[in-house]
């Protein structure tokens, strides 16, 4: 059997993902007849029909689904091999792709990445702030090198989870004449700005409110912890975020809620068996050192 070329695999994945020869051809910047001819050629080499063209949407056949799975894995491993060859261990160049859930951008990721950049200015750093399930999917597809999320919920198969430290939520308010402690039922009197319900932190907060019968007055929802902090800083709103976000922010204060929300464990997320670049290894070392330096309680 003839051996397919990389373009055949990329063309097959494009049609599978777009469900259409027309849209796949536009995405690949080639003509539709060329794309169709190349995939017919791939099917002849494979000795099986890989695509069902009979419906409005082009779908893999049973044989095609198996072939697509292996093609995707082969391209992912090839990309990892290319990064490994390009990896420079003195960190004069390289790339780190990090995914984080929103709260970590407010107090953890910035200082660690700033230190990494100061030590290795040649590195290209990309940070994606999104929900944990999207981070896990991106890790599995090799679109991220590492992620930061939480333990305790369902984790996708193939994701390695390393507990980092224990985190507790507090009521974050503008600094001034505010009590140091607040009974949870008094939260019903406050206007709150909270993360949207796409994120694990919001589910954590909603469960806490429900457990104590609190009907929260939610004035604003946002998909960024930093946006919430700016709203609290500028006006009379309050938010629930990790209490450490007030460190080095004298304009903010953290009010301890009574009873406190349950603690949760921050975790490092990686693809099991995935290649660890020199840039990723340097970041992981700095991340663990940062946690140790601040004396945050160990996770479990």
């Amino acid at each position: 059997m003839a051996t397919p070329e990389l373009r055949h695999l990329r063309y097959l994945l494009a049609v599978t993902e777009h469900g259409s020869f027309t849209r796949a051809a536009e995405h690949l910047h080639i003509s539709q007849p060329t794309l169709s001819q190349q995939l017919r050629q791939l099917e002849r080499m494979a000795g099986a029909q890989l695509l069902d063209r009979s419906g409005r949407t082009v779908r893999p056949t049973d044989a095609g689904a198996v072939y697509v799975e292996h093609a995707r894995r082969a391209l992912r491993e090839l990309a990892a091999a290319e990064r490994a060859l390009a990896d420079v261990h003195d960190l004069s160049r390289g790339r780190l792709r990090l995914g984080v859930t929103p709260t970590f951008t407010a107090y953890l990721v910035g200082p660690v990445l700033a230190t990494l950049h100061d030590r290795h200015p040649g590195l290209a750093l990309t940070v994606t702030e999104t929900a944990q399930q999207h981070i896990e999917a991106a890790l599995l597809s090799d679109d991220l090198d590492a992620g930061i999320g939480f333990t305790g919920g369902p984790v996708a198969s193939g994701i390695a989870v390393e507990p980092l430290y224990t985190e507790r939520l507090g009521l974050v308010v503008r600094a001034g004449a505010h009590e140091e402690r607040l009974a949870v039922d008094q939260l019903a009197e406050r206007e709150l700005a909270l993360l949207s319900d796409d994120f694990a932190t919001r589910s954590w907060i909603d469960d806490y409110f429900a457990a104590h019968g609190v009907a929260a007055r939610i004035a604003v929802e946002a998909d960024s912890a930093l946006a919430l902090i700016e709203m609290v800083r500028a006006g009379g709103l309050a938010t629930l975020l990790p209490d450490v976000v007030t460190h080095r922010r004298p304009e903010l204060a953290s009010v301890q809620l009574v009873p406190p929300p349950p603690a949760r464990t921050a975790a490092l997320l990686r693809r099991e068996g995935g290649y660890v670049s020199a840039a990723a290894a340097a970041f992981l070392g700095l991340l663990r050192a940062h946690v140790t330096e601040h004396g945050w309680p160990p996770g479990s």
Side-chain angles (χ1 to χ4, degrees):
M1 182 179 71
T3 302
E5 299 183 18
L6 290 177
R7 71 173 183 276
H8 292 116
L9 304 185
R10 294 190 174 106
Y11 291 174
L12 176 64
L13 293 184
V15 171
T16 300
E17 290 165 4
H18 290 276
S20 160
F21 281 91
T22 301
R23 290 194 295 272
E26 292 173 352
H27 174 76
L28 294 165
H29 303 293
I30 61 174
S31 70
Q32 183 174 331
T34 297
L35 177 61
S36 298
Q37 184 270 333
Q38 290 290 306
L39 289 177
R40 291 287 187 191
Q41 186 180 78
L42 174 61
E43 289 177 319
R44 288 195 297 271
M45 287 188 285
Q49 182 179 343
L50 302 178
L51 295 170
D52 178 1
R53 302 164 171 82
S54 62
R56 292 175 60 87
T57 300
V58 181
R59 302 179 184 276
T61 61
D62 290 345
V66 173
Y67 201 96
V68 163
E69 179 182 350
H70 287 275
R72 186 174 285 118
R73 186 182 308 156
L75 290 175
R76 185 170 62 233
E77 293 302 323
L78 177 62
E82 291 171 346
R83 288 201 310 278
L85 289 175
D87 194 13
V88 176
H89 288 274
D90 65 3
L91 294 172
S92 61
R93 59 184 172 86
R95 184 183 180 195
L96 173 70
R97 303 165 302 167
L98 179 66
V100 298
T101 54
T103 55
F104 296 109
T105 54
Y107 72 95
L108 175 64
V109 172
V112 174
L113 290 183
T115 300
L116 182 65
H117 175 72
D118 287 344
R119 295 185 183 181
H120 310 291
L123 293 181
L125 308 176
T126 303
V127 181
T128 301
E129 188 180 66
T130 187
Q132 183 160 333
Q133 64 267 30
H134 300 317
I135 294 173
E136 293 174 10
L139 288 169
L140 291 173
S141 63
D142 198 33
D143 292 322
L144 291 175
D145 300 305
I148 304 176
F150 299 100
T151 65
V155 177
S157 176
I159 296 295
V161 179
E162 177 189 331
L164 290 172
Y165 59 91
T166 299
E167 179 187 78
R168 190 176 293 279
L169 296 177
L171 185 70
V172 176
V173 298
R174 189 165 58 176
H178 291 284
E179 56 273 64
E180 294 183 1
R181 294 162 61 90
L182 183 73
V184 64
D185 56 6
Q186 293 181 272
L187 279 177
E189 303 169 9
R190 301 290 184 98
E191 284 195 315
L192 300 176
L194 299 178
L195 287 169
S196 67
D197 56 14
D198 293 332
F199 298 99
T201 295
R202 176 60 183 276
S203 298
W204 200 266
I205 293 168
D206 288 346
D207 290 345
Y208 173 64
F209 287 164
H212 297 283
V214 174
R217 297 171 58 196
I218 302 171
V220 178
E221 292 181 307
D223 60 5
S224 166
L226 292 175
L228 297 179
I229 287 173
E230 287 304 313
M231 283 184 268
V232 171
R233 190 202 313 263
L237 296 173
T239 189
L240 272 79
L241 287 174
D243 52 16
V244 291
V245 303
T246 60
H247 296 178
R248 301 181 183 178
R249 287 187 172 96
E251 70 279 14
L252 299 177
S254 181
V255 177
Q256 181 182 350
L257 294 171
V258 182
R264 59 185 183 173
T265 298
L268 174 66
L269 309 173
R270 294 188 50 240
R271 180 164 62 92
E272 290 180 350
Y275 171 70
V276 182
S277 68
F283 168 76
L284 298 180
L286 289 174
L287 176 66
R288 295 179 182 118
H290 187 85
V291 170
T292 301
E293 176 187 343
H294 284 75
W296 293 335
S300 57

